[in-house]
Amino acid sequence: MKLIMAVVQDKDSNRLSDALVENKFQATKLASTGGFLRAGNTTFMIGIEDKDVDAVLTIIKENCETREQLVAPISPMGGNADSYVPYPVEVQIGGATVFILPVEQFEKF
Ligand code: 2BA
């Protein structure tokens, strides 16, 4: 068994939930925050049999879009002003960042 942890953009999370339910995969959604942008994103925990890993990865790929986002500069108050960039920078946010972990044991009580 595997646990897939997928960090996706909030904009894609309902579409991905619907697709997982439609394909009979169980998932838990956690509200999360990106360490770089400090903006909300959604982390899916999806417990599945090994044989279903590719099917779930396909569903994630099909339902999560890559987008560009402008990041406002963060004031260097008290920090190092040498590295301060005073204008917005465009970053590409991936469709999904996916971790696939082995599950040693799975129980439901
Ligand atoms: P954030 O940390 O808010 O990052 C959002 C996007 O900003 C990233 O997209 C990346 O394009 C850019 N970025 C991140 N750190 C950067 C840096 N030090 N310098 C320049 N640009 C940077 P993604 O790579 O697609 O990541 C989307 C979200 O997935 C991340 O949101 C974070 O919540 C999660 N994530 C990505 N890699 C991770 C990892 N290795 N471990 C845990 N979570 C991760």
Side-chain angles (χ1 to χ4, degrees):
M1 187 175 197
K2 295 279 191 288
L3 177 67
I4 294 192
M5 297 199 67
V7 184
V8 310
Q9 295 173 57
D10 286 344
K11 285 176 189 159
D12 295 322
S13 74
N14 282 342
R15 202 153 47 120
L16 179 57
S17 294
D18 291 347
L20 289 168
V21 170
E22 221 169 84
N23 288 277
K24 307 205 169 15
F25 291 116
Q26 291 199 26
T28 297
K29 276 165 68 171
L30 308 170
S32 44
T33 305
F36 183 67
L37 295 181
R38 295 173 204 179
N41 52 27
T42 304
T43 300
F44 281 78
M45 281 173 49
I46 311 163
I48 46 165
E49 295 305 326
D50 289 14
K51 67 174 174 52
D52 292 324
V53 168
D54 288 343
V56 170
L57 291 180
T58 302
I59 293 171
I60 294 171
K61 269 186 221 158
E62 285 174 353
N63 288 281
C64 298
E65 272 175 46
T66 299
R67 297 185 181 86
E68 307 287 334
Q69 184 166 321
L70 280 178
V71 182
I74 297 163
S75 156
M77 280 207 347
N80 183 355
D82 294 344
S83 59
Y84 179 61
V85 184
Y87 46 82
V89 191
E90 195 166 65
V91 293
Q92 190 182 67
I93 310 174
T97 300
V98 181
F99 302 87
I100 302 170
L101 310 158
V103 174
E104 198 167 300
Q105 195 171 343
F106 171 70
E107 307 284 354
K108 273 187 180 177
F109 298 109

